[in-house]
Amino acid sequence: MADVVAVSAWWTPLAAALLGVFVWGAAAFDGALTAGSRGMGPGGSLTRPLDGVARLLRQRRIVTLSADRLLWRVGGAGLLVAALLMVAVTPLGRWTLSDLDVGVVWFNAMDVAVWAFVWLAGWGANSVHPLVGGYRFLALALGYELPLMFALTAPPIAAHSLNVGAIAGAQGHVWNIVWMPVAFVVYCIGVLGFSLWGGFGAPLASDIAGGVRAELSGVDRLLLDAGRLALLVAGAAFAVPMFLGGGVGPLLPAWAWTLAKTAVLVAALVWAGRRMPVLRPDLLLEVGWLVLLPAALLQDLVVALVAVWVR
Amino acid sequence: MSILVDIVFWVLGGLAIASAVMVFVVDSMARATYALAVSFVAVGFMVLLLSQNYAGVITVLMMLMEMAIMAVYMVMFMGMNPALMPMSMVHSNKAAIAVAAATFVVLGGGALLVPWPTRRGTPPAHLTAALGRALMGDHMLVMIVFSPVMVATIVGGVVLASHRGRYDRMGDDLDRRPPRDPAPGGVGER
């Protein structure tokens, strides 16, 4: 089943550039929604992220007293790296950078790497509020990660494969989202979680003076914020082969459908995140383990029964 | 190609050993923990080179998660000064060195001296699937019996260790609303 072909590693810069374009688009959309909520028009939304980038690039770096710079920088820049490594196993239509046979597990490993990076970004500053933010993220992560893992399990059970291309190819005309809606919702909650977006912004909240971001300035802050949006985009892009039928669609070629579906899901996640209240980590832990985890397990059971009996 | 794989193998091996040494050299709990994480991740990628993709990626996943949590516990349990200041990562040096050297000699000597069996036949195409069948096929009954026992052990352990169960939260008849929690909120709150 040659669903996808692995292209040469020389295409990696193009994939990174595409990720960058989506991050820019997501930031512009978020800015337009902010402008709309303040009664202003969306004018200038497309250029505003670039203004922000220019401003941060010219800003002087703040360095705190006896900061652990190595860990701090690794943590801040790591989110972007993790997002790119997620994209590496996500097929664009028929092409993929790496046709890894355990692509789903790879994606999962990268979203766990975010645990380490956010905590390091909080720890490295040697400052109270970022430290509290880092710990808050780990508490949130304990709440969303296990449901996310079991939501990621459903499509591979149905496709009998952990290969992302095979999962996309196994869907045919019935997309996975149709009969795995619970897994899809739990997955999207997980994506918001590892992007620290919307209701999962407690590690960056204003009650702890910006948390992990409190001491970040200039290019370091740019990397962290771009990394968060890149994780959101990578999570949305990965949902396309997993739940949204991959490149399937009328008229347009597969790559165009993949990009279009990704764009719609990114916009939906950006919008949904803005509508959520900020979740308290201890509260999310209870909801995650008592509601989301059993729901995801039941979804897996249904998928497993169908996969065994129908085939 | 095989030279490239060799180079990557040795680089990863060197990285694994070097960062493992750094665990005892650095003076910060966070650095020690994440040096150990780097060492484990390098080993995970070496397993990938052995074409055991699932085992390799799962090693990376588990070790990153484990070290992220372990950093919290390391900092938490490190005495009055909660590991926020520089501190030595070693104690009981002489005994530790003796134990480490003895363990290395026993394991290394064992690896060198044991007569390793030579391969008979050829490996099947899907090694992981074949291994799964070999483990689960004839022993399915054992697995089926053991799984509930293991789950019961885990649940029992949690129940015994739990400081506060649902009867503490909601009273003897489970009818206290809202439950008595140290922090309000969550499921079951009215």
Side-chain angles (χ1 to χ4, degrees):
Chain A
M1 189 160 54
D3 290 304
V4 291
V5 285
V7 295
S8 150
W10 295 108
W11 290 95
T12 309
L14 191 75
L18 202 55
L19 184 65
V21 170
F22 267 86
V23 167
W24 174 34
F29 182 60
D30 187 46
L33 289 178
T34 303
S37 69
R38 292 177 187 167
M40 297 184 280
S45 292
L46 279 180
T47 55
R48 208 168 290 132
L50 298 183
D51 299 345
V53 169
R55 183 176 63 81
L56 285 175
L57 282 178
R58 291 185 57 218
Q59 196 177 52
R60 181 186 289 190
R61 264 183 167 173
I62 300 172
V63 178
T64 48
L65 188 66
S66 59
D68 192 332
R69 286 202 204 187
L70 175 68
L71 298 187
W72 200 15
R73 304 295 182 230
V74 165
L79 300 187
L80 209 49
V81 176
L84 195 58
L85 288 172
M86 286 176 178
V87 169
V89 294
T90 310
L92 171 64
R94 287 186 54 249
W95 312 297
T96 180
L97 282 176
S98 165
D99 195 22
L100 190 64
D101 58 351
V102 290
V104 177
V105 189
W106 175 263
F107 176 88
N108 203 179
M110 292 308 113
D111 89 58
V112 168
V114 174
W115 291 35
F117 291 137
V118 175
W119 188 80
L120 286 175
W123 169 274
N126 191 29
S127 169
V128 170
H129 291 125
L131 188 66
V132 174
Y135 277 93
R136 273 193 185 178
F137 180 74
L138 282 187
L140 278 176
L142 286 176
Y144 75 73
E145 186 67 41
L146 239 72
L148 171 65
M149 281 181 169
F150 283 102
L152 280 173
T153 312
I157 296 174
H160 294 233
S161 171
L162 285 165
N163 176 286
V164 189
I167 290 170
Q171 292 178 55
H173 293 293
V174 182
W175 295 359
N176 278 342
I177 186 176
V178 175
W179 60 298
M180 309 174 186
V182 178
F184 178 71
V185 170
V186 172
Y187 173 82
C188 287
I189 292 172
V191 171
L192 290 175
F194 66 64
S195 327
L196 288 79
W197 191 258
F200 294 87
L204 314 169
S206 52
D207 65 331
I208 45 171
V212 173
R213 271 195 308 199
E215 305 285 1
L216 285 174
S217 59
V219 68
D220 304 316
R221 193 182 184 106
L222 176 65
L223 282 175
L224 188 95
D225 277 343
R228 282 171 61 218
L229 272 177
L231 285 168
L232 192 78
V233 169
F238 194 72
V240 173
M242 289 287 274
F243 293 101
L244 303 177
V248 176
L251 296 175
L252 294 175
W255 61 267
W257 273 112
T258 308
L259 292 183
K261 290 173 188 177
T262 305
V264 170
L265 191 55
V266 168
L269 288 175
V270 167
W271 177 82
R274 296 175 57 94
R275 308 297 298 175
M276 287 170 81
V278 174
L279 298 168
R280 237 176 46 207
D282 54 338
L283 194 141
L284 176 82
L285 192 67
E286 209 166 321
V287 174
W289 283 68
L290 293 183
V291 179
L292 296 182
L293 186 57
L297 282 172
L298 278 178
Q299 174 78 85
D300 286 347
L301 178 66
V302 170
V303 172
L305 291 178
V306 171
V308 169
W309 279 332
V310 171
R311 284 173 71 104
Chain B
M1 194 62 196
S2 107
I3 293 177
L4 190 68
V5 171
D6 282 353
I7 292 173
V8 173
F9 179 86
W10 285 105
V11 167
L12 285 173
L15 181 67
I17 292 175
S19 52
V21 171
M22 289 308 286
V23 171
F24 301 99
V25 175
V26 294
D27 62 354
S28 129
M29 271 293 163
R31 285 200 173 196
T33 311
Y34 281 96
L36 194 56
V38 168
S39 181
F40 283 139
V41 168
V43 172
F45 280 108
M46 288 169 87
V47 176
L48 273 180
L49 288 183
L50 302 174
S51 299
Q52 293 291 319
N53 290 354
Y54 183 79
V57 177
I58 248 347
T59 304
V60 173
L61 190 162
M62 297 299 291
M63 288 306 152
L64 282 174
M65 198 182 239
E66 217 168 285
M67 290 302 133
I69 296 299
M70 201 176 92
V72 173
Y73 279 88
M74 299 255 290
V75 172
M76 189 164 68
F77 286 138
M78 207 39 69
M80 303 186 302
N81 148 22
L84 297 171
M85 303 293 281
M87 59 185 290
S88 167
M89 290 295 129
V90 289
H91 61 84
S92 315
N93 301 9
K94 284 173 188 158
I97 289 172
V99 170
T103 312
F104 179 79
V105 167
V106 168
L107 292 180
L112 289 176
L113 296 179
V114 162
W116 291 97
T118 49
R119 165 170 280 169
R120 286 166 298 171
T122 52
H126 298 288
L127 209 51
T128 311
L131 186 63
R133 280 202 196 89
L135 283 176
M136 301 293 281
D138 292 343
H139 308 292
M140 193 51 116
L141 186 65
V142 181
M143 290 291 179
I144 287 174
V145 173
F146 260 117
S147 311
V149 172
M150 278 174 8
V151 172
T153 311
I154 294 170
V155 173
V158 171
V159 169
L160 288 177
S162 173
H163 169 55
R164 239 165 29 88
R166 57 184 163 157
Y167 293 104
D168 302 306
R169 297 184 66 218
M170 302 189 215
D172 291 344
D173 298 322
L174 297 177
D175 56 358
R176 186 190 298 142
R177 295 289 186 280
R180 192 162 63 202
D181 288 335
V187 177
E189 191 85 1
R190 293 291 146 87

